[in-house]
């Protein structure tokens, strides 16, 4: 049986997402079973665009949904979006994989994406809008079952 | 013997507190032993009011104690308090349990609250002010003993 | 064989660094094997000065390197540097060990420092500039090998 790693991805920031996906893809490439449980701001990482999902949302939900894969802020030195732009340039110049690259790799390595149903409800994210990306919609108890058998558990 | 989960609750933000208590109560409801070690800003979550504890504090300590259960900020889009207000409205409207509800449930499920003595000292929090809520005052070594036997360890 | 603890230190904030080093030194003092994997902003904690390393860096990298051990911000109430100054005063007055003290203790207790090679590359940190402090330069797979055998894994 393979060793398991489970990550709760709560944060919706570019730098934390890159850290999470670097760890996840490296683990999966070295033959571990990896699951990521996306909750709260972490769900923003999965959204291709901030616009695809507005049909189901009220105005407050729209405001909490302004971020998407290519628009994530930095956790430090965000500077109204200048920080992420600089970080991406720097990563490109030093030959580091982008978040988008890491996410394609994650799918190829069969990393399991679980979206937190409660957070989806609060943020007004429909199953349809995330269906292409997410493997499972589930609650905290489903995450805990995965985590109990995991050698590595991280909350990011 | 029951499986154990141990959480270090370092952050004093509404969204992270809700995530921590959702995971903790779900685990306890499915028959796990759960301990939460409150340290630094996490201690703010336990305070009913920012005013009950000022008698023991100097001016700097007062400033670091401006938050309490009902006044927690959001980790993103706080917008000087508008964000948490909107988040609470949204949670109510979508039928999600509030942090206060989750904390009542946590007590019913016998989740163990440990308050970090060092942090209490720095922030000027007296044992009396937290006595009704906290099960134990202890240091990092007490946390580590719990964590060593836990199947799930998270730092939030 | 000794029990192991492994910490990913991603954050470069004073309060989180103190929490990480308090847990790490307490664990090492009670006979655990402790490794810390420094990545992204966490690498700032290791830098004695923001100036020693500029020779190898472009302008954007310089900007991402403005922090060093004694200049770390707080994750909350930073107030343009007033917060960390107040926190340090408070810690001194209440007899708590400073970050610098904890880091000296960490070295005495043989806590292993691993610096993430990918992050070093992006931030333009040369091996020379960190050589005195770091035990090993390695990537995510090296971290995962340590983490797999650890009883306690935390992402801070």
């Amino acid at each position: 049986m393979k060793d398991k790693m489970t990550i709760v991805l709560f944060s919706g920031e570019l730098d934390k997402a890159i850290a999470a996906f670097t760890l996840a893809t490296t683990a999966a490439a070295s033959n571990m079973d990896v699951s990521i449980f996306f909750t709260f701001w972490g769900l923003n990482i999965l959204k291709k665009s901030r616009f695809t999902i507005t049909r189901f949302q009220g105005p407050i939900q729209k405001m909490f949904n302004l971020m998407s894969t290519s628009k994530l802020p930095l956790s430090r030195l965000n500077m109204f979006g200048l920080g992420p732009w600089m970080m991406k340039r720097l990563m490109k110049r030093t030959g580091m994989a982008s978040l988008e690259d890491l996410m394609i790799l994650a799918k190829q390595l069969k990393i399991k994406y679980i979206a937190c149903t409660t957070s989806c409800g609060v943020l007004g994210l429909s199953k349809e809008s995330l269906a292409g990306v997410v493997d499972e919609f589930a609650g905290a108890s489903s995450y805990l079952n995965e985590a109990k058998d995991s050698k590595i558990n991280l909350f990011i």
Side-chain angles (χ1 to χ4, degrees), chain A residues 72-90:
Chain A
L72 302 173
L74 279 186
S75 69
R76 279 264 139 211
L77 298 174
N78 190 51
M79 303 177 294
F80 304 99
L82 191 61
W85 179 81
M86 286 160 89
M87 182 58 83
K88 283 176 198 170
R89 259 183 69 122
L90 208 51

Side-chain angles (χ1 to χ4, degrees), chain A residues 138-153:
Chain A
S141 70
S142 179
Y143 156 74
L144 291 165
N145 275 333
E146 301 267 359
K148 250 194 275 190
D149 304 326
S150 292
K151 288 230 169 176
I152 306 177
N153 278 309

Side-chain angles (χ1 to χ4, degrees), chain A residues 49-93:
Chain A
S49 149
R50 63 174 93 162
F51 298 115
T52 51
I53 37 115
T54 49
R55 196 159 47 100
F56 309 90
Q57 300 170 329
I60 298 185
Q61 287 172 325
K62 277 191 185 120
M63 201 212 60
F64 281 118
N65 273 294
L66 289 178
M67 293 175 273
S68 57
T69 316
S70 61
K71 301 280 182 208
L72 302 173
L74 279 186
S75 69
R76 279 264 139 211
L77 298 174
N78 190 51
M79 303 177 294
F80 304 99
L82 191 61
W85 179 81
M86 286 160 89
M87 182 58 83
K88 283 176 198 170
R89 259 183 69 122
L90 208 51
M91 286 170 64
K92 203 169 183 180
R93 184 145 57 85

Side-chain angles (χ1 to χ4, degrees), chain A residues 28 101-111:
Chain A
D101 294 340
L102 289 168
M103 291 180 76
I104 292 168
L105 185 59
K107 279 288 131 192
Q108 289 166 349
L109 292 165
K110 313 244 179 274
I111 291 175

Side-chain angles (χ1 to χ4, degrees), chain A residues 35-51:
Chain A
S35 307
I36 307 180
F37 183 72
F38 295 87
T39 185
F40 261 89
W41 314 104
L43 288 163
N44 285 323
I45 300 167
L46 297 174
K47 294 186 303 184
K48 294 245 165 63
S49 149
R50 63 174 93 162
F51 298 115

